[in-house]
Amino acid sequence: MQIRKATQQDFEAFMKISEDTCYSTEVKGSPKQNCIPSNCLTSFLSREDVERVFIEFVKEDKVLLVENEERIIAFAVIRWQGRVCVICDFVVTRKNQLQGIGTYFTNAIIKKARKLRMKKIFLLCEFEGAMEFWKKMGFKEKAKGNFEKIL
């Protein structure tokens, strides 16, 4: 398993992950009755516009991927603003969830943020299942769905 920067050629894999993955609205261990697709960009942007945004993010080194021997299994969209790292999106494929990949990926992002001398990492999350994960990773919920980790 390796983490790397996305390239323009990763767009199709990015779209597939976005379409095949959902955000759990339930706490861990609950039946997955409520699941919201992670392709929220495609709900209000055309495929061409999503591709244009993806390419811009790639050019600005804002998209990181995790891949195993077979394929891309996770991605994160990150903005580096001053001394703050903002995780804009973070997705692990449904098939690869609960296997430590999210933890591995988050720890790598934290390590990179420290190397870049960031003071904190910030993210928004409104899904109960994911909120549990971010708390486990040491993020503090400052307000409903607003998470922060001081480095």
Side-chain angles (χ1 to χ4, degrees):
M1 188 166 39
Q2 75 172 23
I3 297 172
R4 66 173 175 82
K5 292 177 184 178
T7 67
Q8 292 180 21
Q9 290 73 31
D10 294 316
F11 177 71
E12 291 303 325
F14 170 84
M15 286 300 291
K16 181 163 178 32
I17 290 171
S18 294
E19 292 164 359
D20 292 347
T21 304
C22 66
Y23 293 117
S24 174
T25 60
E26 306 297 325
V27 294
K28 187 174 177 180
S30 299
K32 298 218 183 207
Q33 297 169 338
N34 298 315
C35 214
I36 298 171
S38 68
N39 60 344
C40 55
L41 275 181
T42 58
S43 64
F44 61 90
L45 292 177
S46 69
R47 181 180 175 83
E48 293 78 24
D49 288 339
V50 172
E51 185 170 16
R52 192 171 20 262
V53 169
F54 178 82
I55 289 169
E56 282 306 310
F57 283 174
V58 165
K59 286 178 183 175
E60 297 170 10
D61 292 332
K62 292 181 179 175
V63 184
L64 293 176
L65 305 171
V66 177
E67 61 185 357
N68 63 14
E69 311 79 43
E70 302 167 15
R71 68 180 141 298
I72 295 167
I73 56 176
F75 73 82
V77 178
I78 301 169
R79 293 181 68 196
W80 309 99
Q81 299 177 295
R83 293 280 181 220
V84 178
C85 169
V86 180
I87 299 175
C88 303
D89 204 355
F90 186 94
V91 176
V92 176
T93 59
R94 224 182 303 188
K95 178 182 172 187
N96 293 286
Q97 291 175 1
L98 300 173
Q99 296 178 26
I101 293 162
T103 300
Y104 170 77
F105 199 13
T106 301
N107 284 332
I109 292 168
I110 291 168
K111 184 177 179 180
K112 180 173 182 164
R114 284 188 172 128
K115 185 177 180 181
L116 294 172
R117 303 176 62 127
M118 297 287 136
K119 293 185 185 245
K120 64 182 173 178
I121 300 173
F122 177 79
L123 64 95
L124 296 173
C125 177
E126 55 189 27
F127 306 107
E128 290 297 326
M131 286 179 181
E132 223 179 281
F133 169 77
W134 294 113
K135 289 175 184 173
K136 181 187 93 172
M137 295 304 302
F139 286 74
K140 304 292 183 217
E141 190 170 13
K142 301 307 247 179
K144 184 68 175 165
N146 294 303
F147 288 84
E148 175 183 276
K149 182 173 183 74
I150 305 296
L151 301 176

